[in-house]
Amino acid sequence: MSQTNGINGHSKGTVSEMSWKVGLLNCHTKYLTAESFGKLNITGSNLKKKQIWTIEHDTVNEGVIYLKSPQTTDDTYIFKDRHGNVTLKEKEDECKFVVEYGDGEYSGLWAFRNVKSNGLLGTDPEKKDEVKCFNEGKPTNLEYWTVQLSIHPQVNIQHDSRYVQLCNDELQFSETIPWGAPSLIVLEFHEGKYALKTSDDRYLTNDGTLSEECTDESKFTLEIHSGKERVRLAFKDCQQRYLKTAGHSRTMKARNTAVTKDELFVIEDCHPQVVFISDAGKMISVKQGTH
């Protein structure tokens, strides 16, 4: 199964500064859902308003996050009490989590561990439509989640003040302004992983080449890394290596198994771009004398 993810919650600029809007799918392929009066369940079949959570980064403690409720009437977050029950409350220490990324059979999945109690956010083993937070050990399939970005699928990708562009059959970070179809990247969601598709319908593979088929080498696990000013993404391939900018041409390919600043990227909305042609057949241009 593959699909392109879907809702754009940002009007301009970067898709995220210190937060990301996501859907959380459990092992039974149901979405974590926020109902009225602080009630939670895991019953959603589609990514709609009640299933869109905000991963909000702590501005003081790097790596610590909060899971903000989809409810727009107040600012409430996933809260774990001393009995392992999960509800929604205003932000406090019991709302702090850290992300643990799965590997092996759980590659591409995320686990959320409560900072104060060490418990993992997960599905109740007896009542699979209820959420609990009591397992303090190693995550199992009940505590792993598929994280689906809730953003417009057409984006620009930035690294170190330059944007990626389709150039010489590669994705190269060569532009200071993301203009035209070559700078358009489509994020495709594939069962917990993402593929990067160019404007000519080809997929980036981990060796930097482009393929017409979406293979395992074209699917990447997302990791979020918080900085002082904004959240950045890392893309991990099927060999546990991260995409980075490589060589003089700054080509996007996978090389290292550790994350440094070279492996971190910023995702931005891709703004609509059009061409205006007059009745006389001439195009509007910012340069005088252009026909």
Side-chain angles (χ1 to χ4, degrees):
M1 179 189 75
S2 68
Q3 66 184 47
T4 302
N5 55 319
I7 299 173
N8 186 355
H10 303 267
S11 59
K12 62 180 180 179
T14 57
V15 170
S16 172
E17 293 297 330
M18 291 301 289
S19 64
W20 281 94
K21 292 186 180 297
V22 300
L24 300 176
L25 277 160
N26 74 348
C27 58
H28 304 297
T29 64
K30 295 294 184 180
Y31 288 95
L32 181 62
T33 302
E35 302 290 357
S36 302
F37 311 110
K39 299 290 185 179
L40 298 178
N41 59 52
I42 317 176
T43 58
S45 299
N46 298 291
L47 185 57
K48 296 183 178 180
K49 184 178 180 180
K50 290 183 178 181
Q51 289 79 35
I52 299 176
W53 298 82
T54 301
I55 296 179
E56 187 176 295
H57 283 258
D58 190 292
T59 56
V60 177
N61 302 299
E62 186 172 349
V64 174
I65 66 162
Y66 301 90
L67 291 167
K68 187 176 181 180
S69 166
Q71 300 293 343
T72 58
T73 55
D74 52 14
D75 290 337
T76 56
Y77 299 80
I78 288 183
F79 169 91
K80 184 262 181 190
D81 69 14
R82 61 180 180 176
H83 302 295
N85 298 313
V86 179
T87 56
L88 295 175
K89 284 193 175 183
E90 294 182 357
K91 186 184 292 185
E92 52 185 274
D93 286 346
E94 286 78 1
C95 301
K96 293 180 179 179
F97 290 84
V98 292
V99 178
E100 297 181 7
Y101 300 103
D103 54 18
E105 65 176 306
Y106 300 120
S107 178
L109 304 180
W110 297 19
F112 299 93
R113 190 179 295 277
N114 189 266
V115 172
K116 191 166 185 178
S117 71
N118 208 41
L120 289 159
L121 185 70
T123 305
D124 189 306
E126 297 180 358
K127 301 177 180 179
K128 64 180 183 180
D129 61 342
E130 294 186 8
V131 59
K132 290 289 184 180
C133 190
F134 53 77
N135 178 16
E136 298 179 11
K138 186 177 180 179
T140 69
N141 66 317
L142 293 174
E143 288 82 36
Y144 274 117
W145 301 83
T146 296
V147 177
Q148 182 178 351
L149 294 177
S150 179
I151 62 174
H152 196 283
Q154 297 179 340
V155 300
N156 300 128
I157 301 179
Q158 183 194 42
H159 179 271
D160 196 22
S161 301
R162 290 190 175 270
Y163 292 87
V164 76
Q165 185 178 52
L166 178 59
C167 182
N168 299 323
D169 269 348
E170 294 180 334
L171 285 179
Q172 301 177 359
F173 286 87
S174 58
E175 295 297 320
T176 56
I177 298 176
W179 191 256
S183 297
L184 173 67
I185 302 296
V186 177
L187 294 178
E188 279 193 2
F189 183 69
H190 292 262
E191 296 182 339
K193 298 185 178 182
Y194 277 86
L196 281 65
K197 188 166 70 172
T198 62
S199 57
D200 62 358
D201 294 328
R202 290 186 292 171
Y203 295 91
L204 175 68
T205 63
N206 53 10
D207 65 359
T209 60
L210 299 175
S211 171
E212 294 183 359
E213 301 294 329
C214 186
T215 63
D216 287 342
E217 289 71 25
S218 305
K219 298 173 184 176
F220 301 91
T221 299
L222 292 186
E223 293 185 5
I224 52 175
H225 295 260
S226 57
K228 293 182 179 180
E229 298 179 355
R230 60 175 60 172
V231 177
R232 291 174 170 83
L233 286 180
F235 298 87
K236 186 166 67 175
D237 74 353
C238 56
Q239 299 178 31
Q240 310 303 304
R241 301 175 304 170
Y242 294 90
L243 289 178
K244 65 169 295 181
T245 57
H248 179 72
S249 62
R250 298 170 62 90
T251 301
M252 201 174 191
K253 62 176 63 176
R255 281 193 175 175
N256 301 328
T257 56
V259 176
T260 69
K261 65 178 183 178
D262 292 332
E263 287 79 26
L264 295 177
F265 303 93
V266 173
I267 305 298
E268 296 185 0
D269 286 325
C270 181
H271 298 295
Q273 299 174 11
V274 297
V275 176
F276 295 96
I277 304 176
S278 70
D279 290 338
K282 294 185 178 181
M283 293 179 287
I284 296 176
S285 173
V286 297
K287 292 184 179 180
Q288 188 174 5
T290 301
H291 300 291

